[in-house]
Amino acid sequence: MANTVFCKKFQKEMEGLERAPLPGAKGQEILENVSKQAWQEWQALQTMIINEKHLNLMQPDTRKYLLEQMDKFFNNEETDRLQGYVDPNDIQEL
């Protein structure tokens, strides 16, 4: 049976992750407060941020920046916009 968490992103009970996605206290916090769906959505956004901004994950400043963006995402705060990205949901049919 899948565990459930009260997801801080979606503000409701949802299916949780099977294990902590990061080591340490941050990973435990995510495991207890972030749903599987929210984590998957963050992973997609993180990939777009890394690719768009040509980030080097070997640099500590880059990892710190991504953690800040992740916190904003899960707290429903505005994350950095990706230049040129258009959300498919924002496209209106002609």
Side-chain angles (χ1 to χ4, degrees):
M1 182 172 151
N3 69 325
T4 60
V5 297
F6 184 81
C7 180
K8 65 189 213 174
K9 171 76 177 163
F10 295 109
Q11 294 295 302
K12 64 181 181 179
E13 288 286 329
M14 299 179 73
E15 181 181 356
L17 297 168
E18 294 176 18
R19 62 182 177 276
L22 300 173
K26 190 64 164 176
Q28 191 62 34
E29 177 189 337
I30 292 169
L31 180 65
E32 294 171 359
N33 299 296
V34 173
S35 68
K36 185 176 183 179
Q37 179 182 341
W39 180 255
Q40 290 170 339
E41 289 181 16
W42 162 247
Q43 291 289 281
L45 177 60
Q46 176 181 246
T47 299
M48 288 192 292
I49 291 172
I50 291 167
N51 290 337
E52 175 71 26
K53 296 184 177 286
H54 306 284
L55 299 178
N56 178 352
L57 297 176
M58 296 299 290
Q59 297 178 339
D61 287 347
T62 296
R63 293 192 302 272
K64 181 181 175 191
Y65 166 76
L66 286 172
L67 286 174
E68 290 168 356
Q69 293 303 302
M70 179 181 71
D71 285 338
K72 287 181 179 183
F73 177 78
F74 290 137
N75 290 317
N76 292 309
E77 298 171 11
E78 190 166 332
T79 59
D80 284 352
R81 299 297 299 171
L82 301 176
Q83 224 174 9
Y85 175 74
V86 177
D87 187 323
N89 296 323
D90 292 342
I91 297 174
Q92 298 176 358
E93 292 189 33
L94 299 174

